[in-house]
């Protein structure tokens, strides 16, 4: 089954994450108090709803208990962000990612149950969306509107396979341009190079090709 994602707060950051997750083919439940923002995402998210995330019953009624990963992207209201995170923690959400306003806010979020705290001022929504999808996706850098470089960790799907066996170029149209193993970096690795669990691959390609590569070989349930 595909993972279900919830995005609370559809401002610039939350909207960016919601859009990118939807583009990647994931089902997203989007929530915001602003009707205009919700209407913008009616055709993007699987469900876009007007509601108050500080109301526990609202989150229960909307089915947030069934969401695998919730991203709290509330704007400048630190109180709402903290209270929403507390409620989600009490509801037993498996993974909670929260946008922090500052370092003090981050400390509080870490103490009350946030699994991952992000600073959108320092990180792009698109970049964070890819790291949300899988802990094996370490970084994502846009080269242009259509091409990117992604840094991924070798998991079970690629462990003990050679580059030739994986045939990433032919199957997905991507290129493995380097392998990082500990302190060593292997640039332009040979086809018979055997990948090991924990190796870090630097992969370049079009966004569509990288997305297919990630879904088949990087993202693990």
């Amino acid at each position: 089954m595909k993972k279900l994602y919830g995005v609370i707060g559809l401002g610039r950051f939350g909207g960016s994450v919601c859009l990118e997750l939807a583009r990647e083919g994931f089902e997203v439940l989007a929530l915001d108090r602003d009707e205009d923002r919700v209407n913008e995402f009616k055709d993007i998210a699987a469900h876009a709803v007007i509601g108050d995330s500080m109301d526990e019953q609202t989150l229960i009624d909307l089915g947030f208990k069934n969401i695998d990963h919730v991203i709290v992207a509330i704007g400048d209201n630190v109180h709402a962000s903290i209270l929403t995170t507390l409620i989600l923690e009490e509801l037993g959400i498996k993974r909670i990612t929260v946008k922090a306003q500052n370092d003090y806010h981050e400390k509080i979020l870490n103490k009350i149950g946030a699994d991952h705290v992000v600073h959108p001022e320092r990180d792009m929504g698109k970049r964070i969306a890819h790291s949300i999808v899988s802990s094996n996706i370490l970084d994502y850098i846009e080269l242009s509107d259509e091409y990117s470089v992604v840094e991924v960790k070798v998991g079970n799907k690629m462990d003990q396979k050679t580059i030739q066996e994986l045939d990433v170029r032919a199957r997905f149209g991507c290129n493995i341009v380097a392998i990082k193993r500990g302190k060593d970096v292997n640039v332009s690795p040979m086809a018979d190079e055997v990948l090991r669990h924990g190796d870090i691959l630097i992969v370049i390609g079009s966004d569509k090709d990288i997305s297919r590569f990630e879904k088949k070989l990087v993202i693990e349930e």
Side-chain angles (χ1 to χ4, degrees):
M1 273 183 68
K2 277 189 179 179
K3 282 185 179 177
L4 302 177
Y5 291 91
V7 177
I8 297 175
L10 293 171
R12 184 181 298 175
F13 170 66
S16 174
V17 171
C18 180
L19 180 62
E20 191 62 26
L21 288 171
R23 278 178 178 166
E24 292 295 314
F26 293 99
E27 189 172 333
V28 183
L29 169 58
L31 178 70
D32 198 288
R33 297 176 71 173
D34 187 288
E35 184 177 356
D36 291 336
R37 284 181 182 171
V38 169
N39 286 334
E40 280 180 40
F41 286 86
K42 286 274 187 200
D43 297 325
I44 296 169
H47 308 281
V49 187
I50 303 164
D52 182 1
S53 64
M54 292 186 287
D55 182 347
E56 183 174 358
Q57 194 57 49
T58 294
L59 297 184
I60 292 170
D61 292 343
L62 290 174
F64 269 85
K65 272 191 168 185
N66 302 317
I67 301 292
D68 298 295
H69 191 154
V70 178
I71 299 92
V72 181
I74 294 170
D76 298 328
N77 192 335
V78 173
H79 171 71
S81 167
I82 291 169
L83 187 54
T84 298
T85 304
L86 274 170
I87 293 170
L88 292 170
E89 173 68 15
E90 288 175 1
L91 290 179
I93 303 301
K94 294 176 189 173
R95 188 162 174 81
I96 306 167
T97 294
V98 192
K99 167 189 171 181
Q101 298 298 321
N102 49 50
D103 291 340
Y104 179 66
H105 186 197
E106 178 178 5
K107 284 180 183 178
I108 296 172
L109 292 170
N110 284 327
K111 286 182 183 295
I112 63 173
D115 298 293
H116 184 42
V117 178
V118 297
H119 293 264
E121 294 76 13
R122 302 197 298 240
D123 303 298
M124 303 181 307
K126 186 170 185 176
R127 198 173 185 174
I128 291 167
H130 279 258
S131 67
I132 284 167
V133 167
S134 172
S135 59
N136 285 340
I137 300 172
L138 306 178
D139 206 351
Y140 193 96
I141 302 165
E142 288 185 272
L143 298 176
S144 69
D145 288 342
E146 295 182 4
Y147 286 85
S148 302
V149 175
V150 65
E151 191 174 89
V152 302
K153 187 164 59 178
V154 171
N156 295 329
K157 291 181 179 180
M158 292 189 281
D159 187 28
Q160 299 304 313
K161 300 271 196 335
T162 66
I163 290 176
Q164 188 171 17
E165 283 178 293
L166 294 173
D167 208 8
V168 169
R169 185 184 296 178
R171 291 171 67 193
F172 309 108
C174 305
N175 285 297
I176 297 173
V177 295
I179 301 171
K180 291 200 284 188
R181 184 173 291 152
K183 294 181 179 179
D184 297 326
V185 179
N186 181 355
V187 179
S188 299
M190 303 294 286
D192 60 357
E193 180 73 36
V194 178
L195 302 181
R196 300 178 195 166
H197 203 285
D199 283 354
I200 295 170
L201 309 181
I202 312 299
V203 181
I204 188 168
S206 72
D207 293 342
K208 286 182 180 179
D209 292 339
I210 286 175
S211 177
R212 290 190 301 125
F213 163 69
E214 289 175 346
K215 286 174 183 174
K216 285 288 184 182
L217 295 178
V218 181
I219 298 170
E220 297 177 345
E221 296 300 328

